[in-house]
Amino acid sequence: MPVEFLGIGGTHDGSETHARTGGVFDKEYTLRLARAHEDFGWDRVLFAYGSGSPDPAQAAAYVATKLDKLQILLAHRPNVSYPTFAAKTFATLDQISDGRLTVHFITGGNDHEQQREGDYLSKDERYGRTREAIQIIKKAWTSDEPFSFEGQYYRFADYVSDVKPVQQPRPGVSFGGSSPAAYAAGGAEADIYCLWGEPLDRTAEQIASVKAAALAAGRTDVPRIQVAFRPIIAPTEELAWEKAHATVGAIKDRTKGGRPLTRRHKLTEPENTGSQRLLEIAANGERFDRALWTPTAAATGGAGNSNALVGTPETVAQALLDYYDLGVEILSARGYDMLGDTIDFGRYVIPIVREEVAKRDVARAAIAARGPRDDALTIDG
């Protein structure tokens, strides 16, 4: 089973531990960070979405024209553009990138953040709208004949797009969420299902829920699973834990007085199920499994990808392999010093994981080659 690595397509050098030093869209830094991912073995980067952030589609197009191999995961909220328009935007970006685009659909877990751009639907309604939007966009990518649509959230007649994606039959669709409504929508429509890093047993439960939702939707396949972490690595375990505690200290300094790190996420009482789960896990303990550490999530109010993996490159790589062995095919990682951590993770962690995955693939191939008759002879003999 192949393994892929997803990084972050940041547009400035700020993070939870420190404020940015330049503008919110620093073209030089954006390209430098993306190039570091391409040079150090990553497969793709995510261009995230926020109501006040730079347009991720244009930032992604800028990077795509400068780099040749790095793939793009573009975050999109269906409330910000009509699906027929969005489908053209994505197809054009797939053309610009020579077929390197995957689209990550964000339903939105914070009512206030959604309302900043005029979206007043409830959370469950948003999941229904996202599902309709994905269905329309898929058809717009693939249909050569005009089609009409009449659903609960969208209605149009006789649409056909003249611009088609390079990828055939279409680009990939990515989706995330940890609620039953999310599993139902993503299980039905997604090619990739994204989870935040949780303990192994809880991740296994979520994977089972996604697979069950896919089967309930009548699919014969299931989405590939992606899990996201914040790696904190150093040459020794002692140094890694010193770095981890310094990281949390820096986050707490920035959130004194209850000040949130971003306008998108409160420090307490998050509305989305994923963040609630992270805070619940943090309340039950700081360390889980081989290297999972929860204080980074607790310090940010469970904001997004916030649970850390702490240790030497070997420790963190083995922790990632534990998730791979659960069936996780895409490993997402983002450091607090985005550029430096991208280089270190790519230089020291990714090669270990890829080497171990290759060994597992060889072993599986050998078992498959033996066949059932050889197994039977072994047992009988």
Side-chain angles (χ1 to χ4, degrees):
M1 183 174 71
V3 63
E4 297 181 10
F5 289 91
L6 169 71
I8 186 68
T11 60
H12 58 77
D13 63 354
S15 79
E16 294 92 332
T17 60
H18 58 277
R20 68 177 188 264
T21 60
V24 69
F25 182 36
D26 182 334
K27 284 175 42 177
E28 181 180 347
Y29 182 85
T30 299
L31 182 56
R32 189 179 177 195
L33 179 61
R35 182 168 283 124
H37 283 89
E38 183 167 276
D39 290 345
F40 286 90
W42 300 73
D43 295 287
R44 60 169 61 88
V45 293
L46 166 68
F47 286 89
Y49 190 91
S51 60
S53 302
D55 178 9
Q58 295 188 57
Y62 169 69
V63 167
T65 63
K66 304 292 184 181
L67 302 178
D68 298 324
K69 296 182 297 182
L70 190 66
Q71 298 178 55
I72 292 163
L73 180 60
L74 177 68
H76 171 70
R77 286 185 187 165
N79 62 293
V80 300
S81 64
Y82 206 76
T84 51
F85 178 84
K88 291 187 295 184
T89 300
F90 304 147
T92 302
L93 182 52
D94 200 53
Q95 291 279 349
I96 290 170
S97 66
D98 295 321
R100 289 179 278 154
L101 176 69
T102 300
V103 181
H104 179 63
F105 287 84
I106 300 174
T107 298
N110 182 308
D111 288 347
H112 191 190
E113 168 68 5
Q114 296 298 122
Q115 291 165 8
R116 289 185 173 116
E117 294 187 292
D119 184 7
Y120 286 84
L121 295 184
S122 69
K123 184 178 177 181
D124 284 347
E125 288 173 325
R126 293 198 296 267
Y127 276 115
R129 179 183 58 195
T130 298
R131 191 166 178 175
E132 282 191 10
I134 294 173
Q135 292 168 351
I136 293 166
I137 289 167
K138 285 179 178 177
K139 191 160 186 178
W141 280 338
T142 57
S143 178
D144 293 322
E145 300 296 328
F147 67 97
S148 301
F149 186 90
E150 186 164 348
Q152 185 174 355
Y153 302 98
Y154 300 107
R155 178 184 178 188
F156 58 86
D158 200 39
Y159 177 79
V160 65
S161 175
D162 292 329
V163 56
K164 293 293 189 288
V166 170
Q167 297 176 78
Q168 293 299 313
R170 58 173 177 79
V173 167
S174 171
F175 187 92
S178 297
S179 67
Y183 298 144
E189 300 295 341
D191 303 302
I192 298 170
Y193 200 100
C194 306
L195 303 170
W196 290 333
E198 296 188 1
L200 289 164
D201 58 346
R202 295 182 62 126
T203 300
E205 291 170 359
Q206 290 213 78
I207 292 173
S209 295
V210 172
K211 290 181 176 179
L215 294 175
R219 292 179 61 167
T220 57
D221 64 339
V222 295
R224 300 167 66 202
I225 301 297
Q226 171 185 304
V227 179
F229 303 96
R230 305 302 291 271
I232 301 175
I233 62 172
T236 68
E237 294 291 328
E238 181 180 8
L239 288 173
W241 285 104
E242 286 181 8
K243 184 176 177 181
H245 289 291
T247 297
V248 168
I251 295 171
K252 289 181 177 179
D253 284 343
R254 296 197 68 208
T255 56
K256 283 180 179 177
R259 183 174 67 249
L261 290 166
T262 72
R263 298 178 72 241
R264 280 180 272 172
H265 192 93
K266 299 182 296 183
L267 286 178
T268 59
E269 299 180 352
E271 298 171 23
N272 60 306
T273 303
S275 293
Q276 292 168 4
R277 288 174 64 98
L278 294 186
L279 292 181
E280 176 196 347
I281 293 165
N284 289 328
E286 289 193 355
R287 296 180 66 170
F288 294 85
D289 305 320
R290 193 186 301 265
L292 191 73
W293 196 55
T294 64
T296 46
T300 61
N305 170 20
S306 52
N307 268 342
L309 292 177
V310 182
T312 64
E314 292 78 11
T315 296
V316 170
Q318 292 301 323
L320 291 168
L321 286 161
D322 291 338
Y323 288 89
Y324 174 83
D325 290 338
L326 285 182
V328 176
E329 296 182 52
I330 303 172
L331 299 169
S332 174
R334 172 165 59 96
Y336 292 94
D337 170 11
M338 287 191 292
L339 182 59
D341 289 341
T342 291
I343 294 170
D344 286 346
F345 187 89
R347 178 178 284 152
Y348 300 116
V349 178
I350 289 178
I352 298 173
V353 176
R354 291 201 191 278
E355 181 179 357
E356 291 299 319
V357 166
K359 290 178 182 178
R360 284 162 166 75
D361 289 345
V362 169
R364 289 192 188 99
I367 292 171
R370 287 207 312 265
R373 179 173 297 178
D374 289 350
D375 288 341
L377 290 171
T378 301
I379 293 169
D380 292 342

